[in-house]
Amino acid sequence: MSRKIPDSEYEKTLSFRLKRWLDGTKDAFVDTVEMQEQKEFVEDDTTVINREIERQQRLYRLYDHANNWGISGFEKLYRIFCVCFCIFLVVMLLISVSYLPSYGQPENPVNNEVSQRYIENGLQETGAVNIVTGMILDYRAFDTLGESHVLFIATCTVLILLRKDKKKDEWGNDIEESDRIYEPKNDVILQTAARVLVPPIIIFGIYVILGGHIGPGGGFSGGAIIGAGLILYLNAFGFEKTERFFTGKTYKVMSVCALGCYCLAKSYSFYTGANHIESIIPLGTPGAILSSGLILILNICVGIVVGGTMYTFYVMFRKGDY
């Protein structure tokens, strides 16, 4: 049976020193290495000045294009390459154009059965008097859906890149920056003109959208007109009044609903057309406002996306938020 030794003897043993070293309670260099107080390193002014002079000399040698043959040679080679590439590109384009058929010839590839069908059977198959509208919203509606999504994605990109973070006050509340710094203050002429012009502009844009299948117009042109009306109203009265009826949330909801409605409507048309199933949606009487099947609804969806996109682009480039 082992006996317990006193602490004074235990502290002299190797096991005690090993345990203290493992626990980190004893620094092995204490009382064995001469310790001095660390002093702050201060460089003299001459050394600092010499170092700065050396740095300036290195930068001068690096960016001295006249004597630095590496940089000057690269610049000359780059210019020669750019000229050669431009010449090559122009020659290739001219050669390609030389092989194109003459404009207006009956045997040109553009004069094929596709365009012939658009012209001859467009009214019967789409119900739209406007051949262009029937083509882009019926025959090529899938492409138009992609174009609408391109506008929406472009708006999302602008929102990400140009959005301004809201400033906080000392209590953590948002500080609303006045939009009046971006525009003339209470311009009577502009506001009077806006009161007179904005309602007809909006009404005309709606008319162009709703009549796109029976005459010139459609969702793209009508949406651009409505977007111009919103921009005019914003310039005249500012964000405070405009955001009473149109905010960032309003645009997001309208765009998502419009694109979703477009997708559902054309998915039905794609399904029935691919499976040779007769659609239950009547084409109506050509020339009537309620005709051409789903084209009227698709025009409204496109107009909503285009109008909101134009207004959002303007707001983000002007203020960075709304």
Side-chain angles (χ1 to χ4, degrees):
M1 182 176 178
S2 60
R3 66 181 182 85
K4 184 177 180 180
I5 62 176
D7 294 339
S8 57
E9 295 182 10
Y10 175 66
E11 293 177 357
K12 297 177 182 180
T13 60
L14 179 62
S15 61
F16 174 76
R17 291 196 295 270
L18 178 63
K19 179 179 181 301
R20 188 169 53 175
W21 178 73
L22 292 175
D23 294 341
T25 57
K26 176 66 175 177
D27 189 350
F29 297 100
V30 173
D31 300 330
T32 60
V33 179
E34 183 181 359
M35 306 293 290
Q36 294 182 356
E37 182 180 358
Q38 183 69 30
K39 296 181 180 179
E40 183 180 359
F41 176 75
V42 179
E43 237 177 356
D44 59 285
D45 297 338
T46 305
T47 305
V48 175
I49 294 174
N50 292 336
R51 183 181 294 109
E52 182 64 23
I53 293 174
E54 292 177 359
R55 190 181 71 86
Q56 294 294 338
Q57 290 176 350
R58 287 196 301 270
L59 292 176
Y60 178 76
R61 289 194 298 270
L62 178 63
Y63 294 102
D64 185 12
H65 294 190
N67 300 319
N68 193 327
W69 296 104
I71 295 179
S72 60
F74 175 79
E75 289 185 350
K76 293 178 181 178
L77 182 63
Y78 178 78
R79 293 171 184 172
I80 294 173
F81 174 79
C82 291
V83 173
C84 294
F85 177 78
C86 291
I87 295 175
F88 172 78
L89 183 62
V90 170
V91 171
M92 293 299 297
L93 291 176
L94 291 176
I95 294 175
S96 301
V97 170
S98 65
Y99 283 97
L100 293 177
S102 302
Y103 181 77
Q105 296 297 322
E107 63 273 7
N108 288 350
V110 68
N111 299 320
N112 53 27
E113 65 276 4
V114 177
S115 57
Q116 181 179 359
R117 176 161 184 152
Y118 289 164
I119 297 172
E120 295 179 354
N121 301 332
L123 180 62
Q124 178 183 357
E125 295 179 348
T126 66
V129 178
N130 188 346
I131 298 178
V132 177
T133 301
M135 180 181 65
I136 65 175
L137 291 179
D138 193 285
Y139 293 115
R140 297 179 61 250
F142 190 76
D143 296 340
T144 308
L145 174 62
E147 295 169 2
S148 300
H149 278 82
V150 166
L151 291 175
F152 181 72
I153 294 172
T155 309
C156 294
T157 306
V158 173
L159 287 170
I160 294 172
L161 295 177
L162 299 183
R163 183 177 181 85
K164 288 174 57 179
D165 295 332
K166 293 184 178 180
K167 299 179 180 179
K168 302 282 187 179
D169 57 16
E170 55 182 348
W171 296 282
N173 300 321
D174 294 333
I175 299 176
E176 184 64 28
E177 186 177 2
S178 175
D179 65 284
R180 285 295 181 179
I181 63 176
Y182 301 98
E183 61 192 23
K185 295 184 178 180
N186 299 323
D187 192 323
V188 178
I189 297 177
L190 179 60
Q191 291 181 352
T192 304
R195 290 190 181 96
V196 175
L197 294 178
V198 169
I201 290 175
I202 301 296
I203 294 174
F204 181 67
I206 296 173
Y207 162 76
V208 172
I209 293 175
L210 298 180
H213 58 293
I214 58 179
F220 286 101
S221 52
I225 295 172
I226 294 177
L230 292 174
I231 293 173
L232 175 59
Y233 186 88
L234 173 64
N235 284 329
F237 301 103
F239 285 94
E240 183 177 356
K241 289 187 177 181
T242 308
E243 289 181 351
R244 294 177 182 176
F245 59 90
F246 198 97
T247 62
K249 184 178 181 180
T250 305
Y251 166 71
K252 296 172 186 176
V253 172
M254 292 175 59
S255 296
V256 171
C257 292
L259 292 175
C261 179
Y262 193 113
C263 291
L264 292 176
K266 290 317 297 180
S267 295
Y268 171 77
S269 299
F270 296 154
Y271 177 79
T272 55
N275 295 278
H276 304 285
I277 301 174
E278 185 176 356
S279 176
I280 61 174
I281 300 175
L283 297 179
T285 304
I289 187 67
L290 297 177
S291 61
S292 67
L294 294 171
I295 291 180
L296 176 61
I297 299 176
L298 300 181
N299 260 331
I300 296 174
C301 295
V302 173
I304 291 173
V305 174
V306 173
T309 300
M310 280 191 57
Y311 176 78
T312 301
F313 275 5
Y314 178 80
V315 170
M316 295 304 298
F317 276 100
R318 168 179 159 170
K319 188 182 179 184
D321 193 13
Y322 78 105

